[in-house]
Amino acid sequence: MTDITNEGNKRDLGTPALEQMYGKGVARSAAKQRRRKTLEVTSEGRRAGWGTYAILVVTILIFVFPLYVALSIASQNSSSTQYGVQALIFGSGLIKNISRAFGAMKFWQALSGTLFVAIVTSVSTVFFSTLAGYSFSKLRFRGRGVLFTIVIGTMTIPQQLSIVPLYIMANKAGLFGSIWAVIIPGLVSAFGVFLMRQFFLSVPKELSEAARIDGLGEYGIFARVVLPLAKPGIATLTIFTFVNVWNDFMGPLIYLNSTELKTIQLGIRMFI
């Protein structure tokens, strides 16, 4: 009984007091026991109940149900497609219908073309946006504020207003009907410049000054100091750009007049 009481007293005492009374070994052991007890209490306090699991299961079913209905309708024959409760009954033609759909829209060709446009546009946008964002945030030059205001001002112009001028320029440049007519207008974006500028502003200027004192030039500071710290911003811009280009419907519809060059979005339109 005395040993148990002593062990409890050791855990209650602070680490400095234990070191003075019993030595460092006993103090470390007591500290480990306190951390283990704290973790046990914390994990028990965070344990989810049956109500939480029930809510999660219901939420999963709500999100999975539309996918199930889509697959169920896709598995039926076009002549016997049912709606209502009967649409929940799976048919026997799912694989056959998917194969016919892929063949009708040349799925793999459309997928490769869409990936090419999305990857090239994303890489180009990230490259130019990081350079411009670094210039607007870290460099001092005449007219910087005016230029940045003009860049931000272009974000207020609706995309529909640029369709006709871009169509005329693509036609005069001989790019109409080419995949590059879709890629070139999106090589850089005002949103990407704005996003990277705001991110670079959060990087302490002391890091750039220290690198400059060590003899690095402006390109070295950008590539070896600032750019590695901008990985979260680059990842965010890459995701936004890729998703936006992947879902683009208007651009390919206007500039591409060949079936072989149609993107995924234009291919899906064939079934409507």
Side-chain angles (χ1 to χ4, degrees):
M1 186 70 180
T2 306
D3 295 337
I4 297 175
T5 305
N6 291 335
E7 290 296 329
N9 292 334
K10 290 178 184 179
R11 287 195 297 266
D12 295 336
L13 291 175
T15 302
L18 288 174
E19 289 183 358
Q20 293 179 359
M21 297 175 61
Y22 301 101
K24 294 184 178 180
V26 176
R28 292 172 183 170
S29 177
K32 290 180 180 179
Q33 292 179 3
R34 281 198 297 268
R35 285 195 297 269
R36 189 181 300 110
K37 186 176 181 181
T38 303
L39 291 175
E40 291 176 357
V41 173
T42 304
S43 61
E44 290 179 359
R46 294 181 178 177
R47 185 175 298 170
W50 288 105
T52 303
Y53 287 111
I55 294 174
L56 291 176
V57 170
V58 172
T59 304
I60 292 172
L61 291 177
I62 291 174
F63 281 94
V64 171
F65 181 73
L67 179 61
Y68 172 81
V69 174
L71 292 176
S72 176
I73 295 176
S75 66
Q76 302 174 14
N77 297 325
S78 59
S79 60
S80 62
T81 301
Q82 303 293 332
Y83 298 96
V85 178
Q86 295 182 348
L88 302 179
I89 303 175
F90 255 79
S92 59
L94 179 61
I95 304 300
K96 180 181 178 181
N97 291 338
I98 292 177
S99 300
R100 290 175 58 190
F102 281 9
M105 65 176 294
K106 297 182 178 180
F107 175 79
W108 299 112
Q109 189 173 1
L111 177 64
S112 61
T114 307
L115 282 174
F116 178 76
V117 174
I119 292 174
V120 172
T121 305
S122 300
V123 172
S124 174
T125 299
V126 170
F127 176 74
F128 289 113
S129 297
T130 51
L131 290 175
Y134 178 81
S135 300
F136 283 124
S137 62
K138 298 299 182 182
L139 302 182
R140 299 291 182 266
F141 55 91
R142 183 176 299 178
R144 184 185 66 164
V146 176
L147 288 176
F148 184 70
T149 303
I150 294 174
V151 171
I152 297 301
T154 60
M155 297 175 61
T156 63
I157 301 175
Q159 183 181 6
Q160 291 76 8
L161 293 180
S162 63
I163 291 177
V164 175
L166 289 175
Y167 178 87
I168 295 174
M169 287 188 291
N171 194 19
K172 289 184 177 181
L175 296 176
F176 184 77
S178 171
I179 198 72
W180 293 103
V182 181
I183 295 175
I184 291 177
L187 290 180
V188 65
S189 67
F191 171 76
V193 175
F194 171 76
L195 178 66
M196 296 310 301
R197 174 188 179 270
Q198 298 305 115
F199 191 88
F200 285 139
L201 286 176
S202 64
V203 178
K205 62 180 181 180
E206 289 78 11
L207 295 176
S208 301
E209 294 175 354
R212 192 172 288 108
I213 292 173
D214 290 338
L216 281 179
E218 210 61 52
Y219 288 105
I221 295 173
F222 170 74
R224 300 176 61 181
V225 178
V226 179
L227 195 61
L229 299 176
K231 290 179 180 179
I234 293 175
T236 303
L237 179 59
T238 303
I239 294 173
F240 283 170
T241 305
F242 188 91
V243 172
N244 184 46
V245 175
W246 181 273
N247 294 326
D248 185 24
F249 176 79
M250 188 65 67
L253 178 64
I254 294 173
Y255 301 118
L256 303 180
N257 55 3
S258 174
T259 307
E260 288 74 16
L261 296 177
K262 290 187 181 297
T263 59
I264 287 290
Q265 304 304 325
L266 295 181
I268 295 175
R269 178 177 173 270
M270 297 171 57
F271 299 99
I272 299 176

